[in-house]
Structures are given as C-alpha cells and as structure tokens.
Amino acid sequence: MARAAAVTPPTRLPAAGDRSGAVLARLQLMVTRKLDGLLQGDYAGLLPGPGSEAGESREYRPGDDVRRMDWPVTARTTMPHVRRTVADRELETWLAVDLSASLDFGTGRWLKRDVVVAAVAALAHLTVRGGNRIGAVVGTGAAGGGPGTLLRLPARAGRKEAQGLLRAVAGTEVRPGRSDLGALVDLLNRPPRRRGVAVVISDFLSPPQQWGRPLRKLRVRHDVLAVEVVDPRELELPDVGVLPVVDPESGELHEVQTADPGLRRRYAEAAAAQRGAIAAELRAAGAAHLRLRTDRDWLLDMVRFVAAQRHARTRGTTR
C-alpha cells in the first residue's frame, strides 16, 4: 500500500540538523516529568522481564511462560506450577531503530520520525534510571536497491551516555528508500548476548516475511517489544477532493480523488488488512506490541502500556 504524504506539513520537531541542545533537552525533561510522575514506585522497566534469579513457585495461570514451569513442585502437588523469578537490576536493552524514508511523514501533531525519536528518549529514560545499559542499531534507507546504512551504538549505562545515544539517533540523516528491517533486527542477534530486552521501533511497512523470522529468532533469547508507529492517513483517507500525495521512499507523485467513497472504503480495507498482518506476525513472534500514533499523546500511550505490563506482572504474566 502506498505511503501517502499530504502536502501540508504538521507541527513537528526541528529538522535533523537542529535536533540538538535545547530541543532534545526539552523533550527529555517532558519525558522525565511525565514518566516519573505517573510511574511511581519500585523500579520496573518497559518490559518487566522474567529475570534470572529464582524466586518462589505459584500455580500456573493461562498466559504464563511454559519455560518457567517448576516441574518438581508440579510433580509433588499434581498441579502445574511456575517458578517466579526476581527481575534483574542490571539488564541490557538494545533498540533497533528503523529510519526509512517512510518515517519522514505525518499528518497529525508529529511526523512519524519525531515519534520514533521521542520513543527512544522514553525508552532510554526507563532503562538508565535502574542502572541498566542501553544500546542501539539504526537503519536508514536503501536507495537503488543498495544495502542502506546501518549504525551501531554500543550499550552503556548512565544518563550522559543515554543522552549521547538519543542525539546520535535524532541526528541520523534519513536517506531515500527503505531499510532492510530484517537485517536490522538480525543485528541484535549478532553477537549473541545474555538475556535482556530488545525493542524494535518501526512502521513495519516492510513485508512481514522479511522481518518475521529474525524477530522470532530474537525472541528465543530476549524479551521483545515491537513499537509500531502509525499515522492516521495510513489507516483511512479523508474526503478532501483531489489530494496530491507522494511516496516518500520512491518520490513518486500521484493525485488521488478522495471524494470517491469506494476508493476510501478500499483504502481503509487494504490498510486494515495490512495492519492485521503486521499484528499477526508480531503475535507469532511472541513480541509485546505497542502502537504509537502521530495524532495521539504518545507518552500517555507509553505510560498506559508500562502500567499494563506492571499489572500483568502481578498476575504472573507479562503478556
């Protein structure tokens, strides 16, 4: 499905070259105030994670990870039990950040790229406030069928290091074309790392068969979160007459007659099928799924997600 870009740009963060200093500082301050204000209490990251230190056992509940089955207690009581584990305090979180050309699009309050940068800021804050390390791999477009550009930022602990990672991501130049999301995710599988958290941030517009298998491979060793960034015009078209649209990856310009109700219906149906296929592939990979929209309060959506994960943890499952 074409990624349509309206000619009127939305309110957004400054361009890549200007995303530094005071702009990013204000973004980080907003993230810190809201997350710390709404997520008070003991430390808990974006995904609680099963940890590695053994804890007490309890009865199995639907949705529990079968890899945590406590077989001795199960055999003794004849009731299935799972072993609780104490969450690690020194974990490594890795981000796979997709900055394909389709991310330079938005018709809401933000461009999709801005939401990506903001999500990185929130993830970095949630990670380093517990003393954990955070690193990233960043992919940009692959114009002309080339391999694209892949940037690796080593995992480090500390607030200053997290700020440096955010500046590097925000300052990455978006190149024409689409990055290979499968290859980007696969960078998190090499070299093998001890169990941690892996977060993939993208609009996931690449074919699911390209990135599904690397994501499933990643889930074998790590807790995986998929952050899907969506613009409302990718879900439905407004009735605004003839609308000039451009594919940000190919540069092709088209004029679409949005007054045609049949066209708007087919577009919405195709968009729903596309998003359904993405959600199904993420479920099959066992990844937690967070959708952020350019026309919504993305920070509030993240807070709700973290609160839901925390609530699920008290019930014995992180899904």
Side-chain angles (χ1 to χ4, degrees):
M1 187 179 67
R3 273 77 62 186
V7 293
T8 303
T11 304
R12 57 164 298 177
L13 293 176
D18 299 326
R19 287 197 189 104
S20 60
V23 174
L24 290 182
R26 286 197 299 271
L27 174 63
Q28 289 177 299
L29 181 60
M30 178 178 65
V31 167
T32 300
R33 284 179 173 175
K34 195 154 191 177
L35 290 181
D36 286 348
L38 296 177
L39 294 175
Q40 297 175 355
D42 294 336
Y43 167 75
L46 192 67
L47 288 178
S52 57
E53 183 181 344
E56 62 181 7
S57 292
R58 60 161 176 79
E59 287 190 12
Y60 173 86
R61 300 190 187 109
D64 285 341
D65 190 342
V66 296
R67 293 173 297 182
R68 294 165 49 202
M69 292 295 296
D70 190 334
W71 296 112
V73 176
T74 298
R76 187 169 63 249
T77 62
T78 69
M79 294 289 293
H81 278 66
V82 292
R83 172 71 69 176
R84 282 183 173 177
T85 50
V86 180
D88 295 323
R89 286 301 192 271
E90 293 185 2
L91 292 173
E92 213 169 69
T93 296
W94 277 89
L95 312 179
V97 184
D98 177 16
L99 289 180
S100 298
S102 63
L103 273 298
D104 258 345
F105 166 64
T107 61
R109 297 169 55 191
W110 311 82
L111 292 186
K112 291 198 293 182
R113 177 189 169 102
D114 296 333
V115 176
V116 169
V117 173
V120 170
L123 290 162
H125 174 72
L126 287 170
T127 298
V128 301
R129 73 170 184 171
N132 298 328
R133 296 181 297 277
I134 187 168
V137 291
V138 185
T140 62
T149 302
L150 298 174
L151 172 67
R152 186 187 295 271
L153 305 170
R156 295 191 174 98
R159 199 167 298 278
K160 284 187 177 181
E161 286 71 15
Q163 291 172 349
L165 182 144
L166 177 61
R167 286 195 298 270
V169 172
T172 299
E173 178 185 359
V174 173
R175 298 174 179 270
R178 168 154 292 280
S179 61
D180 187 336
L181 184 57
L184 184 65
V185 173
D186 215 31
L187 284 180
L188 300 185
N189 289 313
R190 304 190 310 268
R193 303 179 179 88
R194 72 187 184 96
R195 186 170 176 85
V197 177
V199 183
V200 182
I201 311 174
S202 174
D203 54 14
F204 290 95
L205 292 181
S206 299
Q209 59 268 26
Q210 181 195 89
W211 47 264
R213 185 174 180 179
L215 202 64
R216 289 192 294 272
K217 181 180 177 182
L218 189 66
R219 180 65 181 90
V220 171
R221 190 172 183 86
H222 304 284
D223 293 299
V224 178
L225 168 64
V227 179
E228 180 190 9
V229 181
V230 181
D231 186 85
R233 295 290 77 81
E234 294 174 328
L235 305 177
E236 59 182 6
L237 287 175
D239 183 0
V240 292
V242 177
L243 177 67
V245 297
V246 61
D247 187 326
E249 294 182 1
S250 67
E252 295 182 7
L253 178 65
H254 302 275
E255 289 188 349
V256 179
Q257 178 52 269
T258 62
D260 182 355
L263 182 143
R264 296 199 307 274
R265 184 189 68 254
R266 293 192 299 273
Y267 183 93
E269 290 172 351
Q274 181 185 45
R275 294 298 165 180
I278 293 170
E281 191 68 32
L282 294 175
R283 284 195 303 271
H289 184 191
L290 169 61
R291 177 178 287 183
L292 301 179
R293 292 176 50 130
T294 62
D295 61 339
R296 288 174 55 99
D297 186 338
W298 54 267
L299 194 50
L300 181 58
D301 287 339
M302 292 194 77
V303 167
R304 288 170 174 164
F305 178 85
V306 175
Q309 290 290 312
R310 190 181 280 187
H311 176 67
R313 185 183 182 186
T314 64
R315 296 172 55 243
T317 175
T318 56
R319 290 291 179 272

